[in-house]
DNA sequence: ATGAAAGCGCTAACAG
DNA sequence: CTGTTAGCGCTTTCAT
């Protein structure tokens, strides 16, 4: 009753069945145009009948290409980055599939208390063991030791995130224009009649944070609105956001908040609830990331086009791995604003 | 100035450098006990100097084991499942790493409007092409066509999720005792003095949903509390949860809600906000999944031990792929209750 | 304890 | 257009 799990068919099996040589079968798969139509048909029929699928390992060994792309899941990813990571991974898997690639997840390894994570942890082995063809690097917000390190090792990779201050960088990258997103958010609040629009951002040192703040500043300048006393820089937690919002409300009476993250925006919502003020009607609030939290709480938020990011990353990957390496380049995509109750009067 | 990217060292390179045969180097890596200490040391030194890492493709071809485990990311994952997926994937990657496995993500493929997704979409090719050694199957909540299908194909896999009604199932699985989690949640609300505790669940047809509901029912029975008029079954959205909660509050005056998901619990919070009632102080609310949303909104929630689930899954995987296949078995883990403001008076 | 030979399944290069 | 030859880097016999 037990149908013995026969070993999968090989090229040789197909060749024999179709009455051709192994090479011809190989061509039928990788270069069908080279075959005469009738031969091709015969081979394809044999493939069908034997339910043949090429052995990846053998192909990989021969062609030195695994069609695998490595993606490192950070050691206990930063909360903020985490909020959108899920969507990004989905998008990347989908985009890769269409290009014939699979995503290989790996971990940076556990980081001991008080130790800095090895920025290249895990990359090296995967690369040298020829387990992956290339990497997608996402955590460029840490500064960019990994892009530099990978470049030194001549590892093929594409980055989600600009090479901010590394002018020597010469790898392909895709990023989202955070400043433009925040600017649109600020414009939106202005259009709702707000003039005292506060910025709730992160502590200095994050290029991403500085970029987003710039969008607020630009918009305020455009409308000749004062920004003095209207900003705070805190760590990316709900509590920090709540406290900072409360202080700002007490000291300089903003009527709206633009935040560097949904997390901070939720903090603002908490502060408003504590004082019995209604988001939207009383005080406008906009977050960043369009996380599930924003969707569920009715929080207006800047949404990164992660699906598009993924498609561009995969396109860059293909170009990178194709024979004639074209010049590296960067792509900057525009986010969109998801307007919900928290910013509408 | 360009340091030519020399091809990685091979076994032969190491052998030559160490003055031994290739085979001895192979043994040094896979079976060090076979070597004389001094030979071993010499080989290891050569490995070090040449920065040698075994070529995965060659090893894979030879041993027929890729050390890759496939995980399918569902086509536009159900919202609920999604909320905890991120944490699970992290946990799985981490657990796999320690066992020398990597996670290969693949997509079920896009599902056309109105079409049912192919439950085995993507699995087959990966398996026959020897790209992965095994699978982790997560979406058993769909019923379990994939476990049945995979079993038929004799594909090695372990499941996160019980084989509910498939008594013939003989694969290893790990699951979380949802009923126990909900029971604990209900007990907690009872300890807070609540007697009219409502259940807000999903529409029938989901074994997971029925299981969770059973926990509520059991707890209510234990305390001889009536459940009549105290339950609603809706689809898993915030709006549906809000409406159902409002109706229940109007018709049968519950003082607390236990919900099948955080999504529904958020709906309850919305309903309370609309009537000016305070979660915790006025009406107790407990969700399920301990998602970011719960953490950020101060929602008490049942938390699945996903890290532990991952560890058990990987252990099962190792046993499955090891020579002497031990009998399959299941593991049922206990969730814990994360108590926050929404359930405390 | 070490070495020699064979071959996993495939494709690149060349020959016919 | 099709077939032959060779070899990717490794591990598994089987000798020594």
């Amino acid at each position: 009753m037990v149908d013995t799990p026969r070993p999968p068919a090989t090229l040789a099996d197909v060749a024999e069945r179709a009455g051709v040589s192994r090479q011809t079968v190989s061509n039928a798969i990788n270069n069908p145009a080279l075959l005469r139509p009738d031969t091709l048909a015969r081979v394809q029929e044999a493939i069908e009948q034997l339910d043949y699928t090429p052995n990846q390992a053998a192909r990989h060994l021969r062609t030195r290409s695994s069609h695998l792309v490595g993606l490192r899941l950070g050691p206990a990813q930063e909360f903020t980055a985490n909020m959108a990571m899920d969507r990004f991974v989905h998008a990347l898997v989908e985009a890769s599939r269409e290009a014939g690639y699979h995503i290989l997840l790996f971990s940076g390894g556990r980081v001991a208390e008080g130790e800095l994570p090895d920025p290249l942890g895990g990359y090296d082995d995967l690369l040298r063991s020829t387990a992956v063809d290339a990497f997608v690097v996402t955590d460029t917000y840490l500064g960019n030791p990994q892009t530099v390190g990978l470049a030194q090792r001549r590892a093929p990779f594409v980055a989600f995130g600009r090479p901010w201050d590394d002018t020597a960088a010469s790898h392909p990258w895709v990023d989202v224009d955070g400043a433009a997103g925040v600017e649109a958010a600020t414009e939106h609040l202005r259009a709702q009649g707000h003039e005292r629009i506060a910025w709730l951002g992160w502590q200095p040192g994050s290029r991403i944070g500085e970029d987003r703040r710039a969008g607020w500043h630009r918009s305020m300048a455009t409308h000749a609105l004062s920004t003095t006393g209207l900003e705070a820089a805190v760590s990316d937690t709900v509590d920090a956001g709540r406290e900072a919002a409360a202080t700002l409300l007490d000291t300089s009476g903003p009527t709206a908040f633009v935040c560097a993250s949904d997390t901070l925006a939720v903090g603002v919502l908490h502060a408003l609830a504590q004082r019995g003020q209604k988001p939207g009607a009383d005080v406008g609030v906009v977050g960043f990331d369009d996380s599930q939290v924003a969707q569920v709480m009715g929080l207006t938020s800047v949404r990164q086009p992660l699906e598009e990011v993924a498609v561009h990353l995969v396109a860059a990957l293909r170009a990178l791995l194709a024979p004639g390496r074209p010049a590296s380049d960067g792509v900057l995509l525009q986010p969109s604003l998801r307007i919900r109750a928290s910013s509408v009067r």
Side-chain angles (χ1 to χ4, degrees), chain A:
Chain A
M1 225 50 206
V2 179
D3 64 297
T4 320
R6 277 198 299 88
T10 73
L11 256 194
D13 298 332
V14 177
E16 191 185 10
R17 173 135 200 156
V20 296
S21 77
R22 282 159 39 207
Q23 186 48 31
T24 302
V25 179
S26 177
N27 283 337
I29 293 165
N30 303 310
N31 241 325
L34 292 184
L35 297 210
R36 225 185 329 171
D38 59 313
T39 320
L40 181 58
R42 223 167 60 248
V43 173
Q44 283 174 335
E45 194 187 317
I47 288 177
E48 188 92 12
Q49 288 174 350
L50 294 173
D51 201 22
Y52 169 73
T53 310
N55 181 311
Q56 284 305 324
R59 181 177 267 182
H60 177 179
L61 177 59
R62 189 64 239 232
T63 63
R64 335 204 116 258
S65 155
S66 62
H67 281 230
L68 252 36
V69 175
L71 175 69
R72 183 168 91 169
L73 252 37
Q77 204 89 16
E78 262 189 33
F79 194 67
T80 290
N82 220 8
M83 303 211 73
M85 195 57 172
D86 199 48
R87 233 181 90 218
F88 176 65
V89 171
H90 260 84
L92 191 60
V93 168
E94 202 62 47
S96 302
R97 184 180 67 88
E98 282 157 24
Y101 282 89
H102 286 294
I103 299 299
L104 175 69
L105 253 31
F106 66 104
S107 145
R110 222 177 271 299
V111 177
E113 194 73 34
E115 266 181 50
L116 276 179
D118 175 4
L120 277 114
Y123 283 107
D124 235 28
D125 287 342
L126 277 176
L127 191 68
R128 283 215 319 282
S129 69
T130 69
V132 301
D133 291 349
F135 295 99
V136 171
V137 177
T138 63
D139 32 14
T140 56
Y141 59 86
L142 295 173
N144 42 19
Q146 43 271 72
T147 61
V148 174
L150 286 173
Q152 274 172 359
R153 279 154 225 251
R154 326 190 121 261
F157 73 99
V158 299
F160 177 12
R162 274 162 275 188
W164 297 104
D165 29 31
D166 180 5
T167 51
S170 63
H171 60 267
W173 55 264
V174 181
D175 205 354
V176 176
D177 192 341
V182 171
E183 185 173 11
T186 313
E187 292 292 319
H188 161 66
L189 289 168
R190 181 67 197 83
Q192 294 285 315
H194 294 283
E195 300 207 326
R196 295 191 62 70
I197 304 170
W199 170 249
L200 187 46
W202 298 322
Q203 282 151 332
S206 155
R207 304 306 242 98
I208 295 179
E210 290 162 22
D211 181 49
R212 293 183 187 174
R213 180 186 172 284
W216 165 73
H217 206 267
R218 199 193 300 157
S219 175
M220 296 296 274
T222 302
H223 296 287
L225 296 172
S226 163
T227 60
T228 41
L230 281 177
E231 65 179 306
V234 299
S235 59
D236 194 44
T237 68
V238 173
D239 283 343
R242 182 176 42 70
E243 285 166 22
T247 304
L248 281 170
L249 285 166
D250 286 337
T251 57
S252 44
T255 64
F257 288 84
V258 188
C259 306
S261 72
D262 282 348
T263 310
L264 291 177
V266 170
V268 176
L269 295 181
H270 283 197
L272 294 180
Q274 282 179 335
R275 10 188 104 207
Q277 296 190 314
K278 271 191 100 68
D282 299 330
V283 175
V285 185
V286 181
F288 199 109
D289 255 354
D290 197 32
S291 60
Q292 288 183 328
V293 174
Q295 297 171 31
V296 151
M297 295 186 73
L299 174 67
T300 296
S301 193
V302 177
R303 181 182 175 91
Q304 305 197 52
L306 298 181
E307 294 75 15
E308 220 184 315
V309 169
V311 168
H312 281 274
L313 284 173
V314 171
L317 228 31
R318 301 181 82 155
L320 194 65
L321 297 174
R325 291 198 179 191
S328 76
D329 59 333
V331 177
L332 192 61
L333 299 173
Q334 295 306 311
S336 58
L337 191 63
R338 291 297 160 107
I339 297 173
R340 302 200 178 85
S342 75
S343 68
V344 180
R345 281 187 150 144

